[in-house]
Amino acid sequence: MKKERLMTPGPTQVPEESLLTLARQVTHHRTPQFEALYTRVRKALGVILRTEGDLFFITGSGTAGMETALMNTVAPGETILVLSSGKFSERWAELGKVFGANVLLYSVPWGEAFSPEQVADSLKAHPETAAVFGTLTETSTGVCHPIEKIGAAVRENSDALFVVDGISGIGADRFEMDSWNVDLAVVGSQKALMGISGGAIVAAGPRAWKKIERTPRRGYYFDLLKYRKSAEAQTTPFTPAKPILEGLAVNLDSLLEEGIENVWRRTHRLAEAARAGIDAIGLARTTLFPADSMTAAFFPEKDPFDAKRFMSEMQTRFGVKFAAGQGPWKGKIFRMAHFGIIDEFDILGTLASVELALTAAGYPAELGRAAAAAQRVLVRLTA
Ligand SMILES: Cc1ncc(COP(=O)(O)O)c(C=O)c1O
């Protein structure tokens, strides 16, 4: 049997102590035990997102969280500004159209980051904008956007809400919901929080509530007013995917024990090591604005390099699963994570495997360079 080494920026591998919770017999969710569990998870998430706002668990993948955020805050015909820079941020625009919003786009090319000044200019030109939708880590490109500065630009230049998709970034890339003027944020269970797939967390601050209360109810399952009412009784309005929450509770405890600042520092160190390794191989990374949660790099363009062979070599020979490119970058890039239980050993082994797989796929790499470059970073940056 081959070892599986999931290096994708979600889903990611789940810590063993957390997996073990899945082995326990099913218990009911309308119980004091569940209420205590839900309260513990919500409190821990508040620390991780750095918010005093309300936090809810929604059964459904990250996109369910995005849909929840948008449909609760935007009425038909209202103008929204979508910051679009890749596959996932484009989803905000798609959702906006489905829910009848007048969608303004501020698009940057894939691999680029948004300029807070441009966000400010857009808002000045469109004072009717009800909400701005952004993304912390654009997983399709590996960019981490300057959410803190964008949040300040939104607040200084408008009354619009600021809604952030932190699905893959939160818990790995620095994120401070309240002090960064973020009104609503979404996280996925299967990314840096190391849970199994199928859960979304939605966080809503006081400005968001004012808007949510005024927005016509649309949809039933994702109505945040229902989630808020149930949370007052420490529970969820519908049967939750409780096994996800049980696992998450264990993971969140360990993140809190480490301290979120230390988690960010640890992830940054691994990211720096991965970036140095990729650079040492001579591959071009996708962005000058890299997230710490993941790294993405272009395949060599030289003939006879075979990208499919590279990906399958990584998977079948080394058990390493990378994420492939999407949209315009399909077949052009690979993406790897450095969050969750991914550690120094994984980064070093993966980089060394990348050199061997490149060589097997027709691009002879100079062996040993990537891991050596990463090792130097690991020596330089203290754990
Ligand atoms: C930034 C971002 N947004 C949204 C999504 C969609 O989440 P899901 O596939 O869990 O619905 C993802 C998933 O990779 C993501 O990384």
Side-chain angles (χ1 to χ4, degrees), residues 259-372:
I260 191 65
E261 289 280 354
N262 294 331
V263 173
W264 292 331
R265 194 173 309 122
R266 168 170 57 81
T267 314
H268 176 71
R269 184 167 171 266
L270 295 179
E272 285 282 289
R275 293 191 275 259
I278 295 294
D279 294 350
I281 298 172
L283 298 180
R285 287 188 279 115
T286 51
T287 180
L288 298 173
F289 312 97
D292 282 341
S293 44
M294 61 174 288
T295 291
F298 288 103
F299 292 127
E301 276 183 5
K302 286 201 182 105
D303 250 5
F305 177 72
D306 179 348
K308 278 203 183 115
R309 171 86 196 274
F310 169 80
M311 292 298 257
S312 86
E313 193 80 6
M314 287 303 293
Q315 171 110 57
T316 53
R317 183 163 155 202
F318 302 113
V320 173
K321 174 79 181 149
F322 282 152
Q326 295 165 299
W329 285 357
K330 194 163 190 255
K332 298 201 165 137
I333 65 164
F334 67 90
R335 300 176 289 139
M336 62 183 274
H338 352 97
F339 53 42
I341 56 172
I342 290 169
D343 59 14
E344 292 179 52
F345 191 90
D346 297 318
I347 298 293
L348 294 173
T350 300
L351 289 169
S353 312
V354 165
E355 288 174 338
L356 289 171
L358 285 170
T359 303
Y363 179 82
E366 205 174 309
L367 303 181
R369 290 191 60 156

Side-chain angles (χ1 to χ4, degrees), residues 9-11 60-66 87-89 91-92 135-140 165-169 188-191 197-200 294 326 335:
S61 73
T63 308
M66 293 173 77
K87 178 87 185 153
F88 294 107
S89 42
R91 193 161 294 175
W92 281 130
T135 305
L136 174 65
T137 304
E138 172 53 73
T139 323
S140 62
D165 166 357
I167 289 173
S168 64
S189 58
Q190 79 277 27
K191 312 265 186 182
S197 312
M294 61 174 288
Q326 295 165 299
R335 300 176 289 139

Side-chain angles (χ1 to χ4, degrees), residues 52-300:
E52 302 279 316
D54 293 306
L55 290 126
F56 308 105
F57 175 78
I58 292 177
T59 299
S61 73
T63 308
M66 293 173 77
E67 181 154 340
T68 303
L70 192 133
M71 76 166 223
N72 278 275
T73 51
V74 181
E78 278 185 332
T79 297
I80 63 170
L81 174 64
V82 169
L83 312 183
S84 171
S85 65
K87 178 87 185 153
F88 294 107
S89 42
E90 283 165 12
R91 193 161 294 175
W92 281 130
E94 289 163 11
L95 279 163
K97 284 179 197 147
V98 166
F99 285 97
N102 171 32
V103 179
L104 302 176
L105 275 184
Y106 161 32
S107 299
V108 293
W110 284 45
E112 298 288 321
F114 305 118
S115 135
E117 292 74 27
Q118 288 235 27
V119 174
D121 290 347
S122 239
L123 289 168
K124 282 184 215 152
H126 294 280
E128 74 280 15
T129 305
V132 178
F133 289 82
T135 305
L136 174 65
T137 304
E138 172 53 73
T139 323
S140 62
T141 64
V143 169
C144 186
H145 289 291
I147 294 300
E148 180 179 11
K149 291 194 173 126
I150 297 171
V154 173
R155 189 57 62 85
E156 280 159 24
N157 295 284
S158 74
D159 290 328
L161 289 186
F162 187 32
V163 183
V164 172
D165 166 357
I167 289 173
S168 64
I170 292 178
D173 287 297
R174 177 177 284 277
F175 180 74
E176 306 195 25
M177 178 162 167
D178 291 357
S179 63
W180 290 7
N181 296 301
V182 175
D183 299 300
L184 263 136
V186 185
V187 199
S189 58
Q190 79 277 27
K191 312 265 186 182
L193 304 184
M194 303 169 282
I196 55 172
S197 312
I201 288 104
V202 173
R207 293 179 78 248
W209 283 120
K210 280 197 190 136
K211 182 74 171 75
I212 293 167
E213 284 156 10
R214 285 190 276 121
T215 302
R217 301 291 87 211
R218 285 186 292 167
Y220 189 89
Y221 192 80
F222 297 138
D223 180 351
L224 274 177
L225 294 182
K226 287 190 173 61
Y227 285 81
R228 181 169 70 175
K229 187 155 184 285
S230 296
E232 280 162 17
Q234 303 181 61
T235 193
T236 53
F238 314 107
T239 306
K242 188 162 142 285
I244 302 181
L245 273 169
E246 283 162 342
L248 271 184
V250 174
N251 304 343
L252 296 174
D253 281 353
S254 95
L255 292 176
L256 291 196
E257 199 181 314
E258 184 178 355
I260 191 65
E261 289 280 354
N262 294 331
V263 173
W264 292 331
R265 194 173 309 122
R266 168 170 57 81
T267 314
H268 176 71
R269 184 167 171 266
L270 295 179
E272 285 282 289
R275 293 191 275 259
I278 295 294
D279 294 350
I281 298 172
L283 298 180
R285 287 188 279 115
T286 51
T287 180
L288 298 173
F289 312 97
D292 282 341
S293 44
M294 61 174 288
T295 291
F298 288 103
F299 292 127

